[in-house]
Amino acid sequence: MSLKVRKKKNKSGSTSIHIVDRTNRGYKVVESLGSSKNEDKIEALYQKALNRIDELENNLLFISKNNDRKNQLIDILSQVTTDNFIPIGDELIFGKLFEDIGCNQIFKTINSKLRKIDEKIFLFKSLVISRLLYPGSKLELIHYLEYFKKQEISIYQIYRFLDTLYQDDVKTKIEECVFNHTQKIMDNTITLTFYDVTTLYFESENEDDLRRIGFSKEGKLARPQIQLGLFTTLEGYPLSYEVYEGNKYEGHTLIDILQKFQTKFNIKNKPIVVADRGMLTNANIAYLENNNYKYILAYKIKNIDNKLKEQIANLPFVSDGAIHTIDIKNKEINYKETINNEDIKKKIKINQKLILTYSSKRAKKDKRTREKALEKIEAKLNKKNIAKSDLKLSYYAKYLDINDKCSIKYTLNNNKVLQDEKLDGIKGFATN
């Protein structure tokens, strides 16, 4: 194979630049670089073609087809081991996406005294890509870079960088970058925001202002933890996040993160807020109503007033996917609003729709959960009187009546159990 650059005159008066293979007296066009009538552009295309030939001639496929260099290729490959290979697929795909989003530039735009900017950009990009390909702790980046990139970094570099990431100006820039990208791919229209909170525990037993022992969704009740509140779009694209103390009630995080979200991004058309039943508090509903937010909140069907509960129990849910709607008009709710560090009691009247749906799979799960709870409580009642400590965070407490004529004594209320059964499989959502 012998590569040459050819200039070809066209009938239109332009000149085309081709890279051709002149092997075996004929020629074959390998690549076309373009055409032009302008002499300067023609010369530029010609020089580009010459440089392209150098690239092609160093290609292994070209070498393998060239008898004069085939032995050279065989000699090179005979000395190659797996240690000579570095995978680049992650950089070609995820690296390209990372750069398209634009977050690789944030450390250059921050008005701070950050040192070693290039190192920080490298660590940020590497942390993101490694978490996508091989999810693990942040320290797993050490093994990722060592195994796949033949690069070594220290644990202290990662610790120092994580401290940098949580500086207010850096965190804000990252959120702005992600939000702007999300808004761009959503055609600048964010209709829905989903909000949820999760807990992240620490192996350490020591608490501080942030890491506190609280209700753990991971079942680590004796470990200090933090809470992470996250907003996403319907498609799952992240919008904003905040970190909260581990012992904070998750329902108390919604107002704070909404206020910060609105302040940071100054959204003119407020999106619909969708959240689970942990956010269904009077204070949250009052804030959403008073600030003109539309919302869809999961409803606590089994913890509502008896009149509404009876109304729901009498609805005909005959098959999976059956839906009923109950209009709630002029419902008055009491809430507290903190003004100048003082809790002020207030009231608001609201109109909602309660959307109810049924699932036989959920009904079976509800039944199993109740049966397990009743087994536990009957075992306790058979052994001894139940103390208040037995009721802490217990599912079955709602089935008990207190007989306190002389000493506190708990008895099973079978009527409450029967009422609970009527609501098996029903899930509700409150919306304005």
Side-chain angles (χ1 to χ4, degrees):
M1 185 180 287
S2 175
L3 299 181
K4 304 290 183 182
V5 179
R6 183 186 71 168
K7 293 182 179 180
K8 181 185 176 183
K9 289 284 186 180
N10 302 315
K11 291 182 180 181
S12 63
S14 64
T15 300
S16 297
I17 304 297
H18 299 148
I19 297 175
V20 297
D21 176 17
R22 297 299 299 269
T23 306
N24 298 326
R25 294 186 179 181
Y27 69 87
K28 177 182 177 183
V29 176
V30 175
E31 196 170 310
S32 295
L33 279 295
S35 63
S36 179
K37 294 181 180 179
N38 182 282
E39 288 298 328
D40 290 337
K41 288 184 178 180
I42 293 171
E43 182 61 26
L45 289 172
Y46 185 83
Q47 292 300 322
K48 185 177 179 180
L50 292 175
N51 293 333
R52 181 63 179 144
I53 286 178
D54 290 338
E55 293 178 8
L56 292 171
E57 288 183 337
N58 286 317
N59 185 282
L60 287 179
L61 183 62
F62 174 80
I63 294 173
S64 66
K65 292 180 179 180
N66 189 318
N67 290 328
D68 295 335
R69 301 180 68 182
K70 188 174 293 185
N71 291 334
Q72 178 188 354
L73 172 64
I74 293 171
D75 182 56
I76 291 171
L77 292 178
S78 67
Q79 301 175 45
V80 171
T81 68
T82 53
D83 290 335
N84 299 113
F85 288 96
I86 297 177
I88 60 170
D90 54 351
E91 288 290 328
L92 291 175
I93 299 173
F94 293 111
K96 177 68 165 57
L97 291 172
F98 185 87
E99 290 172 4
D100 287 348
I101 291 170
C103 294
N104 57 327
Q105 297 298 319
I106 63 171
F107 294 101
K108 294 181 179 179
T109 60
I110 292 171
N111 184 21
S112 67
K113 297 180 180 179
L114 291 179
R115 295 184 300 167
K116 300 181 179 179
I117 300 296
D118 290 339
E119 177 187 295
K120 287 175 170 56
I121 294 173
F122 166 75
L123 284 171
F124 187 38
K125 184 177 181 180
S126 298
L127 274 169
V128 171
I129 293 176
S130 66
R131 292 277 288 183
L132 286 169
L133 294 176
Y134 300 95
S137 71
K138 305 296 188 296
L139 298 183
E140 279 296 310
L141 178 62
I142 295 174
H143 306 301
Y144 170 78
L145 290 176
E146 181 182 14
Y147 186 81
F148 290 102
K149 303 299 182 185
K150 308 297 185 292
Q151 291 179 282
E152 292 185 2
I153 61 170
S154 74
I155 187 174
Y156 302 107
Q157 282 178 276
I158 296 178
Y159 281 141
R160 285 194 296 268
F161 179 66
L162 292 178
D163 285 341
T164 300
L165 271 186
Y166 205 66
Q167 291 179 16
D168 285 343
D169 54 348
V170 178
K171 177 181 180 295
T172 299
K173 287 290 184 182
I174 293 172
E175 282 192 291
E176 286 176 357
C177 169
V178 174
F179 178 82
N180 290 337
H181 178 71
T182 297
Q183 197 170 38
K184 178 182 176 182
I185 58 180
M186 299 299 296
D187 293 326
N188 295 317
T189 302
I190 298 173
T191 307
L192 284 166
T193 56
F194 283 76
Y195 181 65
D196 201 7
V197 178
T198 190
T199 56
L200 304 169
Y201 75 93
F202 295 82
E203 289 296 347
S204 169
E205 295 182 358
N206 298 322
E207 294 182 281
D208 54 33
D209 291 341
L210 186 62
R211 297 182 300 175
R212 304 298 297 269
I213 294 174
F215 177 73
S216 172
K217 297 185 179 184
E218 299 169 282
K220 305 292 182 179
L221 298 179
R223 298 291 183 195
Q225 63 180 20
I226 59 172
Q227 295 190 79
L228 177 69
L230 175 69
F231 271 123
T232 73
T233 65
L234 173 63
E235 295 77 11
Y237 294 110
L239 292 169
S240 183
Y241 78 96
E242 294 294 336
V243 175
Y244 295 101
E245 303 91 327
N247 61 349
K248 189 181 185 73
Y249 171 53
E250 67 174 7
H252 294 164
T253 64
L254 180 62
I255 295 175
D256 177 75
I257 196 170
L258 262 180
Q259 289 174 334
K260 291 177 179 177
F261 181 58
Q262 186 66 41
T263 300
K264 275 186 284 193
F265 303 119
N266 192 26
I267 301 172
K268 294 179 181 178
N269 298 318
K270 294 180 178 179
I272 300 167
V273 177
V274 184
D276 67 14
R277 60 185 185 177
M279 302 301 138
L280 191 75
T281 67
N282 285 355
N284 287 344
I285 291 173
Y287 179 83
L288 292 167
E289 293 276 358
N290 289 331
N291 289 275
N292 299 316
Y293 279 99
K294 301 298 184 184
Y295 58 84
I296 303 171
L297 301 176
Y299 210 70
K300 301 175 182 177
I301 295 296
K302 296 190 177 184
N303 293 335
I304 57 179
D305 64 82
N306 290 331
K307 184 179 179 181
L308 185 56
K309 193 181 291 185
E310 189 66 30
Q311 185 179 353
I312 295 171
N314 290 329
L315 293 172
F317 290 98
V318 293
S319 62
D320 280 12
I323 295 175
H324 291 282
T325 301
I326 296 176
D327 288 322
I328 302 174
K329 299 290 187 180
N330 293 318
K331 178 183 177 182
E332 188 174 79
I333 61 173
N334 301 308
Y335 68 100
K336 291 180 181 179
E337 185 176 328
T338 303
I339 301 175
N340 297 325
N341 295 322
E342 184 180 352
D343 288 338
I344 308 297
K345 292 182 179 180
K346 291 188 174 185
K347 294 181 180 181
I348 185 175
K349 285 188 176 182
I350 61 172
N351 296 312
Q352 293 178 327
K353 286 186 181 295
L354 182 56
I355 314 296
L356 302 157
T357 181
Y358 175 80
S359 162
S360 58
K361 185 177 179 180
R362 190 186 303 121
K364 291 176 182 177
K365 181 183 176 183
D366 290 343
K367 183 180 178 181
R368 284 196 304 270
T369 302
R370 183 176 53 257
E371 288 174 346
K372 289 180 181 178
L374 289 172
E375 286 177 9
K376 290 181 180 179
I377 192 170
E378 286 172 353
K380 285 180 177 289
L381 287 171
N382 290 334
K383 288 183 179 179
K384 62 174 183 177
N385 287 337
I386 295 178
K388 285 186 178 180
S389 59
D390 293 317
L391 299 178
K392 188 177 182 182
L393 299 177
S394 64
Y395 174 83
Y396 52 72
K398 62 183 179 181
Y399 301 134
L400 300 176
D401 282 338
I402 301 176
N403 182 346
D404 56 357
K405 291 179 181 178
C406 298
S407 59
I408 294 177
K409 184 178 181 180
Y410 293 91
T411 58
L412 191 62
N413 186 324
N414 290 310
N415 185 52
K416 289 183 178 179
V417 177
L418 292 173
Q419 291 299 319
D420 200 66
E421 286 180 1
K422 293 179 182 179
L423 300 174
D424 283 354
I426 301 174
K427 191 173 182 67
F429 301 89
T431 178
N432 62 347

